């Protein structure tokens, strides 16, 4: 990049300069506009990346972060790639937010000169990585072994930070078309999609569901203390509210919260997990009601009840019979071929429907024509 005097600008920021009584970093930068907001493209020396760009502390709860946890197994591999290819490694730009008031001094007053200039950022500013946290950690590790690489640079796309929710939405949008994070984490950080907002409201406002839901992963390990993933509850809640279009997000959240609270009261094992009297792994091992297929089926049953009435007292009376249903996985006479195939829980669409049919019959709810067709096919297969 050339300065106004025609000399080549050093990408290293000048530090310690005083503007208006405050110490600031000064970077050569290009200003752009996205979504009617200014952003800046600049370069940072690698040695400054670990010092300036912070990563959200992984000890924080997922709801308080704007990033996923670091996969520490990836970091040595990326660092080794840099060290083994000093003449050929390539890194794409890091994307970050800065939480300070910045000043941009253009080199010219019009045309391209108005977009190129110097970006002044207070030294007290906090930088947070939105995309590229593994590259940042790998750079830090590589520099420990080869400090000479610190004079090299990496492009930076810098946004002005406007709060945690915006950062979380940026995380979702930046990863929407890349290698995607887990669906649960995408839902957790999505501030835009109504279904995500509704299911997060259910979890946030219910102590029971807060304890039962895993917010980051799509799969639960045998030792997990959670019963369901956020993505499973999202799918079930979508089925619960399917086709009910006259609701605001707040109204839909209230209905979903009321329904899932009533369902939770009919299944004592969920409450035992919430109270930490039994382990979640034992319950998942022994009962079908603690798998996503059952949650989805309960959502479809709830859709019928919600369409009939939005009175939770009536739902409670209607769902009372659920407490008599034998959800044990050992009850193969009922569940094999429906929710299980060969003793393993099935996630197929037909299995969801056949599980829904069991619950509907128990509650004396009519089957739809498609449900009747699948039920008849199931009966023929057992004949």
């Amino acid at each position: 990049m050339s300065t106004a005097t025609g000399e080549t600008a050093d990408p290293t920021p000048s530090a310690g300069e005083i503007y208006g009584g405050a110490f600031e970093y000064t970077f050569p930068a290009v200003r752009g506009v996205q979504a009617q907001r200014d952003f800046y493209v600049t370069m940072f020396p690698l040695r400054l990346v670990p010092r300036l760009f912070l990563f959200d502390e992984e000890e924080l709860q997922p709801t308080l972060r704007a990033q996923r946890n670091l996969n520490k197994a990836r970091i040595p591999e990326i660092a080794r790639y840099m060290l083994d290819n000093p003449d050929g490694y390539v890194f794409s730009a890091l994307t970050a937010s800065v939480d300070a008031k910045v000043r941009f001094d253009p080199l010219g007053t019009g045309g391209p000169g108005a977009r190129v200039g110097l970006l002044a950022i207070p030294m007290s500013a906090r930088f947070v990585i939105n995309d590229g946290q593994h590259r940042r950690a790998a750079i830090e590790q590589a520099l420990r072994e080869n400090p000479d690489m610190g004079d090299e640079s990496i492009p930076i796309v810098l946004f002005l930070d406007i709060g945690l929710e915006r950062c979380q939405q940026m995380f979702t949008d930046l990863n929407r078309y890349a290698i995607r994070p887990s669906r649960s984490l995408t839902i957790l950080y999505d501030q835009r999609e109504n279904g995500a907002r509704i299911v997060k409201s259910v979890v946030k406002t219910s102590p029971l569901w807060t304890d039962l839901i895993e917010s980051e992963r799509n799969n639960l390990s045998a030792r997990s203390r959670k019963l369901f993933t956020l993505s499973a509850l999202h799918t079930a809640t979508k089925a619960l509210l399917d086709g009910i279009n006259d609701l605001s997000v707040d109204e839909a959240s209230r209905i979903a919260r009321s329904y899932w609270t009533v369902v939770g009261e009919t299944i004592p094992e969920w409450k035992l997990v919430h109270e930490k009297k039994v382990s979640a792994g034992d319950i998942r091992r022994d009962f079908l009601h603690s798998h996503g297929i059952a949650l989805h089926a309960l959502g479809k049953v709830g859709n019928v009840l919600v369409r009939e009435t939005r009175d939770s007292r009536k739902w409670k009376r209607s769902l009372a019979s659920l407490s008599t249903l034998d959800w044990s996985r050992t009850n193969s006479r009922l569940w094999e071929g429906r929710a299980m195939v060969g003793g393993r829980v099935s996630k197929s669409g037909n299995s969801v429907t056949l599980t829904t049919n069991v619950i509907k019959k128990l509650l004396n709810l009519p089957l739809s024509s498609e449900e009747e067709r699948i039920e008849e096919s199931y009966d023929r297969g057992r004949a």
Side-chain angles (χ1 to χ4, degrees):
M1 172 181 160
S2 297
T3 65
T5 62
E7 297 177 350
T8 301
D10 187 339
T12 303
S14 56
E17 297 181 22
I18 301 179
Y19 293 85
F23 286 90
E24 298 178 320
Y25 289 108
T26 306
F27 300 91
V30 178
R31 178 172 59 188
V33 177
Q34 279 189 6
Q36 303 179 43
R37 293 187 178 93
D38 286 348
F39 74 100
Y40 303 90
V41 180
T42 183
M43 291 183 292
F44 275 22
L46 294 184
R47 67 174 180 274
L48 282 185
V49 169
R51 289 166 49 192
L52 295 185
F53 287 156
L54 303 179
F55 177 70
D56 283 345
E57 294 81 356
E58 59 189 77
E59 293 81 16
L60 291 177
Q61 291 290 327
T63 50
L64 301 179
R65 299 199 314 263
Q67 268 287 3
R68 71 189 104 189
N69 273 338
L70 279 174
N71 180 351
K72 294 183 179 180
R74 292 181 57 194
I75 297 170
E77 181 181 359
I78 301 172
R80 181 49 50 190
Y81 161 72
M82 293 179 64
L83 295 166
D84 289 348
N85 299 277
D87 299 322
Y89 76 91
V90 177
F91 271 171
S92 58
L94 302 178
T95 302
S97 299
V98 58
D99 66 349
K101 186 175 182 180
V102 305
R103 189 184 71 259
F104 182 74
D105 297 323
L107 296 182
T109 57
R115 296 192 295 271
V116 179
L118 297 177
L119 180 66
I121 303 175
M123 286 188 176
S124 60
R126 183 172 183 265
F127 298 81
V128 177
I129 291 281
N130 298 117
D131 182 64
Q133 77 274 23
H134 290 92
R135 276 166 282 158
R136 174 223 172 273
I139 288 169
E140 182 177 15
Q141 182 169 318
L143 289 177
R144 294 194 194 105
E145 188 169 335
N146 184 4
D148 291 340
M149 299 182 77
D151 290 330
E152 298 181 1
S153 56
I154 187 169
I156 306 294
V157 180
L158 198 61
F159 291 87
L160 302 184
D161 184 18
I162 56 174
L164 176 64
E165 286 192 358
R166 173 63 178 166
C167 282
Q168 290 180 342
Q169 189 63 56
M170 285 174 63
F171 172 85
T172 295
D173 291 345
L174 287 167
N175 287 281
R176 196 179 296 274
Y177 302 110
I179 297 175
R180 300 187 64 141
S182 71
R183 184 164 176 263
S184 289
L185 192 62
T186 298
I187 293 167
L188 178 66
Y189 286 168
D190 196 339
Q191 313 294 333
R192 187 173 294 129
E193 195 257 328
N194 286 344
R197 294 166 62 192
I198 292 165
V199 73
K200 285 186 292 185
S201 175
V202 172
V203 174
K204 181 179 180 180
T205 56
S206 167
L208 172 68
W209 288 99
T210 297
D211 285 346
L212 297 185
I213 295 298
E214 163 58 52
S215 297
E216 290 196 71
R217 297 172 178 83
N218 283 344
N219 298 298
L220 297 172
S221 69
R223 295 184 178 181
S224 174
R225 292 178 293 179
K226 307 296 185 179
L227 280 182
F228 302 104
T229 64
L230 185 62
S231 62
L233 184 60
H234 179 271
T235 298
T237 303
K238 185 176 180 180
L240 171 67
L241 301 172
D242 184 45
I244 306 174
N245 301 317
D246 60 336
L247 300 174
S248 67
V249 171
D250 288 343
E251 290 171 334
S253 299
R254 180 183 57 78
I255 289 173
R257 182 168 56 252
S258 297
Y259 177 74
W260 290 121
T261 296
V262 170
V263 170
E265 291 172 353
T266 69
I267 302 178
E269 290 82 9
W270 293 3
K271 186 176 180 181
L272 292 175
V273 173
H274 165 62
E275 294 173 345
K276 297 180 173 56
K277 293 181 178 178
V278 297
S279 74
D282 288 346
I283 297 301
R284 288 197 308 276
R285 181 194 62 208
D286 296 338
F287 296 95
L288 281 167
H289 58 47
S290 299
H291 290 263
I293 182 176
L295 205 62
H296 193 173
L298 288 165
K300 291 169 69 71
V301 170
N303 183 259
V304 176
L305 298 177
V306 171
R307 288 175 179 274
E308 288 182 351
T309 177
R310 296 178 187 176
D311 186 344
S312 60
R313 292 170 297 181
K314 292 184 178 180
W315 301 340
K316 192 167 187 176
R317 290 194 294 270
S318 298
L319 292 169
S321 299
L322 278 178
S323 61
T324 67
L325 183 59
D326 183 359
W327 290 98
S328 302
R329 293 178 65 172
T330 55
N331 185 11
S332 57
R333 183 179 62 83
L334 175 61
W335 298 119
E336 182 62 35
R338 289 184 182 271
M340 299 190 303
V341 175
R344 298 177 65 88
V345 177
S346 172
K347 298 179 181 180
S348 71
N350 274 4
S351 292
V352 173
T353 299
L354 289 168
T355 303
T356 302
N357 291 353
V358 170
I359 302 172
K360 280 191 168 184
K361 289 178 180 179
L362 178 68
L363 304 183
N364 294 316
L365 297 175
L367 304 186
S368 69
S369 57
E370 179 64 11
E371 289 166 345
E372 286 181 346
R373 183 190 67 78
I374 293 175
E375 188 71 17
E376 290 170 1
S377 178
Y378 168 77
D379 289 339
R380 287 195 299 270
R382 291 173 61 88

